[in-house]
């Protein structure tokens, strides 16, 4: 937010200079207006936006943070709120009504026109996470039999109401999707041509019950401004626009980061400084407690071998390094595989190809790191007293070899787990979470101690 | 990629049915065409795309994967390549010439028209990572004194050449940016109005030397199709479009994930299965080796206390849990702070507010996890033999307290480090990398052993 602009707005509000504020509202991007207004009391915001045309008022209102929206709505009577809701974009409208307290939703729904009511019912009927749940019903649909000239006047007529007029979707009498045409193509086309002649008929679309991430991926991959959403019979029911795709992509990435860090139920809409200590605590404690319990399992493994360890403390020294390196190599492999699954460059069909590649990569890593470790243990361990039959060579070999095997196991595990998660339609990033580190902590200790028993006979 | 479509294309190519292929090229999104052609030999791709109009040929060509582009270009003589390059979008053109072998770039640059040559020089003159380095010079700029009707004919005239005509930028005689107008506004406006009357004059823009991520954030935040790029004197020099913004956002997130996993120099353009084992190895080995060395420091700490440990093996049992919990709570805190820095909801000015909040959160976590650990050690340690003066109560208190202090230290460290990184203009995600876990491994051991010395006197 531009601080100069903000202080100007502060002045205008303090001086009740509503005419200049009107100009600011009309001349700026609605989100800019919403950002600078959101710091004021709801009465003040309402006073400023109520002076605007209803379409603009609705746009600015929808760009306010959710908590501010609810405060402003709290100051409005039902009839004013009905007008506001009528002018909202269909997808924003559904989101707003979901957030509004139940006792206000009823009266407003009853006062809305039938068309809007049915539109709301339809849009809110799709399951969370589907393309249908994020689409808007504001799009331009044109019959293929129109001429370019007729299409142009239709678009001009519909423009004020539509969120996006840059793509028009071409349909038949059953609303079956036949093709699309961009406004750019329409502008360049001969006005007498039929839409059926100039439209693109090889069109990408997304099913209404498909994952919304799939819709975002299509928009990103094909550089689209919007993607049409179709039902089972290929009839168009809505569109998802590029700005919604960006939101979906950003949400997905921040969910991934949360999962990797072991954070649960983070509220994305509230800023860090506003989130309470308590809700911060709740989002973190579950995974941490879980991992403490997992740590107890690795503790039990150490306990089992504690006699041997007490006789050879040098083995204890390398326990943290072994666990850490396992965790790191496992999460590297899982990061690479998660990314490849995300971009679609591998699927579960490549299961064995992935294992084979990860095995070869881990072999190189294991040799490098195993030798590094051997050198360190052999040359820099100082004078150690060993039980009979054991010497610094056998100990160095044991530790180096344990690290090598740990790297191979952890890498392959890190590569396999995301693929298994994706088969069960679980977000693969969940395995990049602290769980992987805890698992390889345990496998690492088992490898280590069993190898020590085998080679050193302890 | 739709497998049905792909097998159809295979048939068409095998049967040399070029007329149907022409239809497919014209009727589909260029990226779809590029995807289905990219599996064929370069000669075959060249045969199909050479039959198209030069603008379409250039679009399809630019959507091919880089390695395929170079193979196809290898089959073209210089004059054909000059024509192709001329028709490319300016930003794609610069990218392509960067990838093309040096010995072919020279002759092509010399054969290009002067306007294109200067455009290329200008676009490639901006530093990597700046808004200038990703902008395109294909945008519609209109004088404020034009009427809406005149503007419409100008846009219609320029449409075939321009990547994006949905926003027009309004300039004065010095190309100073005065405002913008969307094609939607133009369509709805009175043809006789002047652009200066109907344009939005409060416009967001990005400086040519600003970070490209800032441009992407503006597009995402304000739901724009494009953002104008201006020089120091506020003259428009280019635009960045929504599809480039999506690429920047996705690249940033995948860079973050790489950093968190400790991956270096990953080649994003090559798919997982095509990347060689060797380059996979190189991207992973640096961090792993570094962390092995860090692990040796924690090893040295253990070594220093090995006498005490050998007398009280129960302390060894909880070493992995202590390190793991520290790593987890540290990376949770850093994930939360990195996200808050990314969305702009905190800056370095909030340094102490962040520490204070993290301290309170960590206190709650420390109490919970400390008590959990105490209970586990006290009730489930079986029969242990302790040196004189030490009993299970003091041991349980030591371990529980060590964990609590470790959680507080690691959480605050995890919260501080990303802020410090951001001051030095380092990507904050770098501290969420394995480095943090290794650091808190060491601090955790120091806390643990010193506390044991203090309480247990070992």
């Amino acid at each position: 937010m531009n601080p100069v602009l903000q202080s100007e707005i502060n002045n205008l509000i303090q001086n009740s200079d509503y005419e200049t504020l009107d100009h600011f509202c009309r001349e700026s991007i609605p989100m800019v207006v919403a950002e600078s207004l959101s710091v004021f009391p709801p009465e003040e915001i309402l006073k400023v936006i109520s002076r605007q045309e209803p379409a603009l008022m609705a746009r600015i209102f929808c760009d306010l943070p959710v908590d501010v929206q609810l405060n402003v709505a709290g100051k409005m009577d039902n009839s004013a709120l009905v007008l506001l809701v009528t002018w909202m974009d269909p997808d924003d409208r559904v989101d707003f009504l979901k957030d509004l307290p139940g006792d206000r939703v009823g009266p407003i729904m009853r006062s809305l026109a039938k068309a809007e009511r049915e539109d709301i019912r339809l849009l809110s009927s799709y399951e969370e996470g589907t393309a249908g749940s994020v689409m808007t019903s504001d799009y331009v649909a044109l019959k293929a039999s129109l001429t370019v000239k007729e299409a142009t006047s239709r678009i001009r007529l519909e423009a004020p109401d539509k969120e996006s007029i840059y793509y028009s979707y071409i349909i038949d009498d059953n609303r079956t999707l036949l093709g699309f045409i961009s406004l750019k193509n329409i502008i360049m086309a001969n006005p007498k041509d039929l839409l059926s002649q100039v439209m693109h008929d090889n069109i990408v679309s997304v099913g209404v019950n498909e994952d919304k991430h799939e819709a975002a991926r299509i928009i990103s991959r094909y550089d689209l401004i919007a993607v049409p959403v179709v039902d089972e019979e290929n009839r168009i029911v809505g569109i998802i626009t590029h700005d919604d795709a960006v939101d979906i992509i950003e949400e997905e990435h921040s969910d991934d980061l949360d999962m990797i860090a072991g954070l649960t139920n983070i509220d994305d809409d509230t800023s860090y400084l506003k989130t309470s200590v308590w809700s911060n605590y709740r989002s973190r404690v579950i995974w941490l407690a879980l991992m403490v319990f997992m740590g107890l399992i690795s503790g039990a493994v150490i306990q089992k071998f504690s006699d041997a360890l007490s006789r050879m403390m040098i083995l204890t020294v390398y326990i943290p390094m072994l666990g850490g390196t396992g965790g790191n190599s496992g999460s590297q492999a899982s990061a690479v595989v998660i990314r490849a699954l995300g971009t679609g460059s591998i699927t579960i069909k490549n299961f064995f190809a992935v294992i084979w590649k990860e095995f070869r990569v881990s072999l190189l890593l294991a040799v490098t790191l195993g030798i590094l470790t051997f050198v360190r243990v052999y040359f820099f361990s100082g004078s150690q007293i060993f039980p009979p039959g054991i010497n610094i060579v056998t100990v160095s070999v044991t530790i180096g070899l344990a690290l090598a095997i740990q790297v191979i196991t952890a890498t392959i595990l890190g590569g396999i787990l995301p693929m298994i998660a994706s088969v069960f339609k679980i977000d693969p990033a969940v395995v990049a979470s602290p769980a992987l580190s805890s698992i390889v902590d345990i496998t690492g200790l088992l490898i280590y101690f069993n190898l020590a028993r085998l080679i050193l006979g302890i």
Side-chain angles (χ1 to χ4, degrees), chain A:
Chain A
M1 185 61 216
N2 184 339
V4 182
L5 180 61
Q6 185 69 60
S7 78
E8 241 174 82
I9 307 297
N10 294 358
N11 280 335
L12 294 176
I13 296 225
Q14 263 157 32
N15 303 330
S16 302
D17 182 352
Y18 289 107
E19 275 175 30
T20 314
L21 281 167
D22 289 348
H23 181 84
F24 167 68
C25 289
R26 281 196 309 270
E27 294 295 313
S28 310
I29 298 169
M31 175 65 90
V32 171
V33 180
E35 278 183 342
S36 23
L37 290 182
S38 62
V39 296
F40 294 103
E43 302 80 12
E44 205 58 64
I45 300 175
L46 187 57
K47 213 184 273 177
V48 176
I49 63 175
S50 300
R51 297 169 55 91
Q52 312 311 318
E53 287 182 8
L56 180 58
M57 175 181 180
R59 275 300 305 278
I60 298 172
F61 182 90
C62 289
D63 283 343
L64 291 168
V66 174
D67 51 331
V68 180
Q69 282 180 13
L70 295 180
N71 289 338
V72 174
K75 305 283 166 198
M76 299 171 74
D77 62 25
N78 279 347
S79 64
L81 206 49
V82 167
L83 183 72
L84 182 71
V85 168
T86 306
W87 279 93
M88 286 178 180
D89 285 338
D91 46 348
D92 292 337
R93 184 156 57 199
V94 171
D95 291 341
F96 173 68
L97 290 174
K98 268 185 203 148
D99 292 324
L100 199 67
D103 59 324
R104 296 211 65 183
V105 175
I108 287 164
M109 282 295 276
R110 279 191 293 278
S111 312
L112 282 172
K114 191 162 170 254
E116 267 90 34
R117 235 168 29 227
E118 283 182 355
D119 190 62
I120 292 168
R121 289 234 174 81
L122 181 74
L123 285 181
S124 44
S125 69
Y126 298 102
E127 225 175 297
E128 195 77 15
T130 60
S133 72
V134 291
M135 72 187 184
T136 178
S137 47
D138 258 357
Y139 55 88
V140 182
L142 302 169
K143 294 275 166 65
S145 52
L146 293 182
T147 63
V148 167
K149 192 174 176 207
E150 290 165 333
T152 312
S153 2
R154 271 293 299 280
I155 293 171
R156 183 169 290 131
L157 210 67
E158 296 196 9
D161 283 348
K162 302 295 176 186
E163 206 175 325
S164 180
I165 60 163
Y166 299 127
Y167 289 165
S168 299
Y169 297 94
I170 317 297
I171 53 172
D172 66 11
D173 291 335
N174 294 320
R175 299 194 72 79
T176 306
L177 187 60
L178 303 176
F180 88 105
I181 186 159
S182 69
L183 191 52
K184 180 173 166 179
N185 294 142
I186 289 185
I187 280 183
M188 297 191 306
N190 182 337
K192 287 178 192 151
D193 282 345
L194 290 177
L195 287 185
S196 55
Q197 294 171 288
V198 291
M199 71 180 187
H200 297 279
D201 55 13
N202 192 348
I203 184 170
V204 287
S205 62
V206 58
V208 73
N209 289 317
E210 270 185 78
D211 192 336
K212 64 179 179 182
H213 299 108
E214 183 55 25
R217 264 191 287 274
I218 288 175
I219 288 178
S220 151
R221 186 167 191 82
Y222 299 121
D223 296 345
L224 302 175
I225 293 182
V227 67
V229 181
V230 294
D231 66 12
E232 290 73 21
E233 272 101 52
N234 201 31
R235 289 176 304 211
I236 184 166
V237 289
I239 61 169
I240 296 175
T241 50
H242 65 101
D243 47 319
D244 294 324
V246 170
D247 292 344
I248 294 168
I249 290 168
E250 293 192 322
E251 184 194 277
E252 185 178 12
H253 287 294
S254 96
D255 285 351
D256 279 358
L257 292 179
D258 288 349
M259 251 183 286
I260 290 172
L263 295 164
T264 45
N265 301 318
I266 281 253
D267 179 3
D268 276 322
D269 289 334
T270 317
S271 76
Y272 174 78
L273 292 172
K274 280 188 194 162
T275 314
S276 71
V277 169
W278 179 247
S279 81
N280 248 302
Y281 166 77
R282 276 182 318 175
S283 69
R284 305 189 198 181
V285 71
I286 297 171
W287 265 104
L288 286 182
L290 221 66
M291 291 306 109
V292 167
F293 275 111
M294 291 288 277
L296 299 177
I297 300 179
S298 55
V301 175
I302 298 178
Q303 199 149 18
K304 200 172 154 237
F305 287 88
S306 56
D307 278 355
L309 284 178
S310 67
R311 270 175 281 129
M312 283 192 57
M313 279 311 294
I314 190 172
L315 292 183
T316 313
V317 169
Y318 296 94
I319 287 179
M321 190 200 69
L322 207 77
T325 309
N328 290 336
S329 49
S331 63
Q332 285 187 337
S334 70
V336 170
V337 170
I338 288 167
R339 179 220 298 267
L341 285 168
T343 60
S345 83
I346 59 168
T347 66
I348 186 67
K349 285 185 203 143
N350 305 108
F351 189 80
F352 292 106
V354 172
I355 295 181
W356 174 230
K357 170 155 278 175
E358 287 304 315
F359 174 70
R360 285 176 298 161
V361 174
S362 70
L363 213 59
L364 287 178
L365 293 171
V367 170
T368 315
L369 301 174
I371 291 175
L372 259 178
T373 307
F374 172 86
V375 168
R376 143 77 208 198
V377 180
Y378 184 76
F379 289 104
F380 303 100
S381 283
S383 60
Q384 297 269 340
I385 302 148
F386 295 110
I390 296 176
N391 59 48
I392 188 65
V393 178
T394 48
V395 169
S396 309
V397 167
T398 304
I399 297 174
L401 199 59
L403 187 86
I405 298 177
Q406 162 79 326
V407 167
I408 295 174
T409 325
T411 303
I412 293 179
L413 215 58
I416 288 177
L417 288 183
M419 289 192 289
I420 293 178
S422 80
V423 169
F424 290 101
K425 308 242 174 238
I426 301 167
D427 187 330
V430 78
V431 307
S433 69
L436 184 65
S437 310
S438 294
I439 294 171
V440 300
D441 248 4
I442 298 166
T443 56
L445 288 169
L446 290 172
I447 292 167
Y448 192 35
F449 295 137
N450 283 307
L451 208 62
R453 190 151 58 184
L454 214 76
I455 300 181
L456 308 175
I458 63 166

